Amino acid sequence: RHRLIGLGMALATLAALARHGVTTGLDMGTWPPELVASLRGRRGVSDVRSSGTGATHPASAHAERMGRAQGLVADPDEAKAYVSERVAEGVDYIKIIVDLPGFDEPTVRALVEAAHAHGLRTIAHAAARDAVLLAQEVGVDVLTHAPIDRQLEDSAVQRTRTSGQVIVPTLTMMEAIVERLGGIAPVSYDVARSTVGQWYRAGVAILAGTDANQAPSAPASPPYGTSLHRELELLVDAGLSAVDAMRSATILAAQQFGLADRGVIAAGKRADLVLIDGDPLQDISAVSKIAAVWCAGVPVADAPAWTEEAR
């Protein structure tokens, strides 16, 4: 989720992503739509896709923290109107913040069905077990975060696989939230880590994402760019092979978000390239040793050369 407020801050964020090898940013909360439109396809920085504002229930914790920065949806009729508004703005997918208590099943289902009727995928914020189960029940396409309150039952893990749902665990964010709230709230990073391992062993598609943001009201704010390096390390620690961790940030992410022109190095594809001083398949931490980056074939200015001191 990249809440980019103002064009200057937005461009600085895209430049930071690019310097650290993130050539396409999948944004989960930027407004207004004119700002999002101005960020697409800029030369020499990361490209961007966006959900615009996310949908949340007026009684949710997100609504309390974020206020008008979120799209407030109270019932199924409002859900249909919300999706129509986002479609008119040209969003790439629909973000649904499944805070509980807050949304009921009919309203989340209405959001999903309206999005699918417009050919858009749905992305759910689901950071607790019950929110994950609700998102599964109504057929959300992509679940972001891993639960930090309670472990998923094996049946729920298997249901994720058989439904074809995709997981973006954002372990970087979950780690940061637990560090901040540990002792205050009943949360555990080990629950998130273990659940990711369960999903992976069951054959669920895992994508890399970090929930990087600069929102003062967010429970934690992973940094743009470098947090993805940390995410890949945490995914490997949770059980993914180095190959699958790299695929989670490249070809799999491109496939799941309909970006057919990128994610692989091949003739005719968009030339998004990252030159690494090391072999991440032998040591995943090598992803932070960036020597050069190209976005759509354009060298990224001031790409950070890796040195022992910088490490």
Side-chain angles (χ1 to χ4, degrees):
R1 177 181 54 220
H2 304 154
R3 294 191 173 89
L4 314 181
I5 307 302
L7 181 59
M9 184 183 294
L11 292 178
T13 297
L14 294 185
L17 290 172
R19 286 195 303 272
H20 292 97
V22 182
T23 55
T24 299
L26 298 173
D27 165 67
M28 297 295 165
T30 294
W31 55 90
E34 295 79 12
L35 174 59
V36 176
S38 74
L39 300 177
R40 298 179 187 272
R42 283 185 172 260
R43 181 178 172 84
V45 296
S46 299
D47 196 11
V48 65
R49 298 292 183 273
S50 180
S51 65
T53 57
T56 192
H57 192 275
S60 72
H62 264 76
E64 181 178 348
R65 286 199 307 268
M66 304 302 296
R68 62 186 297 272
Q70 300 297 316
L72 301 182
V73 178
D75 56 46
D77 288 338
E78 290 188 3
K80 296 174 185 177
Y82 165 85
V83 171
S84 295
E85 291 170 1
R86 301 291 80 74
V87 169
E89 293 172 356
V91 301
D92 299 288
Y93 36 80
I94 297 296
K95 175 68 180 293
I96 307 169
I97 300 164
V98 186
D99 266 353
L100 301 175
F103 277 137
D104 57 18
E105 180 179 322
T107 303
V108 182
R109 188 180 298 278
L111 284 164
V112 172
E113 291 177 350
H116 289 172
H118 287 282
L120 295 179
R121 290 171 70 75
T122 51
I123 322 296
H125 161 101
R129 172 188 170 275
D130 289 350
V132 171
L133 297 180
L134 175 57
Q136 287 183 326
E137 178 67 26
V138 300
V140 168
D141 301 295
V142 181
L143 280 65
T144 61
H145 311 309
I148 54 176
D149 60 340
R150 287 179 291 163
Q151 196 85 29
L152 289 182
E153 296 83 356
D154 288 342
S155 59
V157 171
Q158 291 300 323
R159 185 175 184 181
T160 312
R161 182 185 64 80
T162 57
S163 69
Q165 288 169 321
V166 178
I167 302 297
V168 186
T170 69
L171 287 174
T172 302
M173 175 57 109
M174 311 324 285
E175 179 184 54
I177 290 174
V178 170
E179 287 178 356
R180 180 172 176 177
L181 299 181
I184 301 174
V187 295
S188 168
Y189 177 75
D190 288 341
V191 170
R193 178 182 179 274
S194 177
T195 303
V196 171
Q198 286 181 284
W199 274 322
Y200 178 64
R201 291 188 296 273
V204 174
I206 306 288
L207 306 185
T210 68
D211 208 6
N213 70 87
Q214 294 175 333
S217 59
S221 297
Y224 293 101
T226 55
S227 59
L228 185 64
H229 306 160
R230 176 61 176 164
E231 185 71 18
L232 295 178
E233 293 180 3
L234 292 177
L235 288 175
V236 170
D237 177 66
L240 273 68
S241 68
V243 170
D244 284 339
M246 294 296 293
R247 285 170 57 84
S248 77
T250 53
I251 185 171
L252 289 182
Q255 289 174 344
Q256 291 295 336
F257 279 84
L259 303 174
D261 64 338
R262 64 197 73 185
V264 295
I265 300 174
K269 301 294 184 180
R270 176 182 159 100
D272 288 341
L273 305 168
V274 182
L275 180 62
I276 294 173
D277 185 4
D279 183 359
L281 300 186
Q282 297 299 318
D283 178 5
I284 194 64
S285 69
V287 295
S288 65
K289 304 173 186 178
I290 295 175
V293 181
W294 294 262
C295 289
V298 178
V300 172
D302 302 321
W306 178 80
T307 65
E308 190 65 38
E309 290 75 20
R311 182 74 174 95

